[in-house]
Amino acid sequence: MDTAQHNTLERWLTGPRVGSLPSPSAMPAPKLSFEFFPPKNEKLEQDLWACIRRLEPLAPRFVSVTYGAGGSTRARTHDTVARLVRETGLTPAAHLTCVGATRDEVDEVARGYQEAGVRHIVALRGDPPAGAERYEPHPGGYAQAEDLVRGLRRIGDFDISVGAYPETHPAALSADADLDYLKRKIDAGANRAITQYFFDTDVYLRFLDRCHAAGITVPIVPGILPVLNFAQVKRFSAMCGASVPAWLENLFEGLEQDEPTRRLVAATVAAEQVRILQANGVDEFHIYTMNRPDLTYAIAHILGARPQLVAA
Ligand code: FAD
């Protein structure tokens, strides 16, 4: 039996029985946060805001807005986050990356957020620009997310989230080196990590064990991706190092032309993932909404989240 199997068996023997989940009403609603991406045009902007308005009453802990590859959405991310501050009762978090900008430029963006009343930054290194084989730090830029976290700490009292990879970042030297760099980001001042999505709950639980063994005590919030388009998710997963289990592929087989059933399956899979993790003591989740509100709303509802009054 390898270590992973042993840990799983030990969890099964000593922890809650994941085969007999309590009824949803017996579990407290988990703490949720939602991720959006900034819109490319007016139509997508309307879609995004319809999505935000639908999810707003669920009173998520925060909502984050991504930063396009290579900083390509700098203005759009800023505008979306600033509008969230002005027009909603939500707590926005702005993603920020190190790619393609000097430290001064990145600092200026961070100060812009500070002035707009944004207190939460998701600090990331970013991926190499399209066509580039490997990541090269910008001359005069922040090299890694760890450096960005340190830079942000110098600028202001931000709430800082960083990325974490339960299945190891694809460019990491090793799983241990990756974990060590995660610890360094936390030690540099990050308040929590949000994970890359994963589908097998054991993948996350084993990673959590390793984080705890490494002395990481901040929340490691699992990223949950509802799978609306399986083919697309499979392609993307190959690039970002997330494994796609055969059971997931089987579940979506034959549903290529049947979106209504795909949506039901996607909501069920994601809600079950969350409920198994809840039964194992995890109480915070970050949902990648893909700017589509219905699936996220359904999942949140299954988990016990109900509309609340939100002070605009
Ligand atoms: P880092 O923590 O800097 O690590 C990157 C790689 O370098 C890893 O392999 C690590 O092991 C290694 N490493 C770290 N520190 C060092 C060091 N000092 N020396 C040598 N190697 C080191 N991308 C976007 O462009 N925009 C987004 O909005 C965005 N949002 C994301 C949100 C989440 C929750 C996650 C998990 C990822 C997101 N990404 C986003 C993707 C992210 O930018 C890429 O995965 C990127 O390749 C790594 O970013 P990081 O911040 O995790 O990097």
Side-chain angles (χ1 to χ4, degrees):
M1 189 184 294
D2 66 20
T3 319
Q5 284 170 322
H6 179 266
N7 287 348
T8 307
L9 180 65
E10 192 175 81
R11 192 182 291 285
W12 175 260
L13 291 173
T14 58
R17 297 291 187 272
V18 293
S20 56
L21 291 175
S23 67
S25 57
M27 290 199 203
K31 298 171 207 157
L32 298 176
S33 53
F34 302 141
E35 183 169 308
F36 305 117
F37 57 86
K40 274 202 183 98
N41 56 42
E42 213 165 294
K43 161 78 176 76
L44 293 178
E45 176 152 7
Q46 283 167 13
D47 292 349
L48 168 65
W49 278 87
C51 177
I52 291 170
R53 291 303 181 198
R54 173 120 168 89
L55 298 178
E56 185 181 15
L58 297 176
R61 299 187 75 205
F62 63 89
V63 294
S64 78
V65 182
T66 61
Y67 202 68
S72 54
T73 65
R74 179 173 167 163
R76 282 185 275 134
T77 300
H78 181 278
D79 292 351
T80 305
V81 171
R83 187 171 165 192
L84 281 163
V85 173
R86 281 196 316 271
E87 298 183 17
T88 74
L90 296 165
T91 301
H95 292 219
L96 184 58
T97 72
C98 311
V99 174
T102 63
R103 285 174 185 234
D104 286 348
E105 286 164 342
V106 174
D107 289 357
E108 191 188 308
V109 176
R111 286 202 188 87
Y113 282 128
Q114 209 177 22
E115 279 156 27
V118 178
R119 291 279 162 270
H120 186 163
I121 304 269
V122 183
L124 301 144
R125 186 198 74 179
D127 281 321
E133 288 250 313
R134 37 196 297 270
Y135 171 79
E136 291 290 346
H138 186 278
Y142 291 112
Q144 300 288 344
E146 176 193 345
D147 309 302
L148 175 57
V149 171
R150 239 181 239 111
L152 291 172
R153 276 277 160 261
R154 277 194 292 271
I155 293 172
D157 184 23
F158 289 113
D159 185 9
I160 302 176
S161 298
V162 291
Y165 302 85
E167 297 180 85
T168 305
H169 185 271
L173 295 174
S174 68
D176 284 348
D178 206 32
L179 189 64
D180 188 43
Y181 289 130
L182 172 61
K183 172 99 168 48
R184 286 165 62 152
K185 291 194 279 194
I186 309 291
D187 292 345
N191 304 95
R192 80 184 57 66
I194 302 172
T195 77
Q196 181 60 276
Y197 66 83
F198 54 88
F199 297 110
D200 271 327
T201 46
D202 263 358
V203 161
Y204 168 84
L205 292 170
R206 284 200 294 268
F207 178 64
L208 195 60
D209 286 344
R210 293 179 58 233
C211 288
H212 292 161
I216 295 173
T217 53
V218 300
I220 308 289
V221 183
I224 303 293
L225 177 70
V227 180
L228 189 55
N229 182 332
F230 180 78
Q232 205 176 53
V233 166
K234 196 170 173 188
R235 269 196 310 276
F236 187 67
S237 301
M239 290 189 290
C240 71
S243 59
V244 177
W247 60 259
L248 191 67
E249 184 141 22
N250 289 343
L251 275 179
F252 285 99
E253 206 176 285
L255 297 180
E256 295 76 11
Q257 308 303 325
D258 184 353
E259 185 174 332
T261 309
R262 280 207 318 266
R263 295 164 81 84
L264 294 173
V265 173
T268 307
V269 168
E272 188 172 285
Q273 224 186 344
V274 171
R275 296 191 62 230
I276 293 172
L277 293 177
Q278 275 187 294
N280 282 281
V282 184
D283 68 346
E284 262 182 85
F285 300 89
H286 185 72
I287 304 186
Y288 295 106
T289 71
M290 306 304 288
N291 293 7
R292 308 277 295 259
D294 295 348
L295 264 183
T296 298
Y297 195 94
I299 294 160
H301 185 90
I302 295 171
L303 299 171
R306 295 292 180 267
Q308 298 176 28
L309 284 179
V310 179

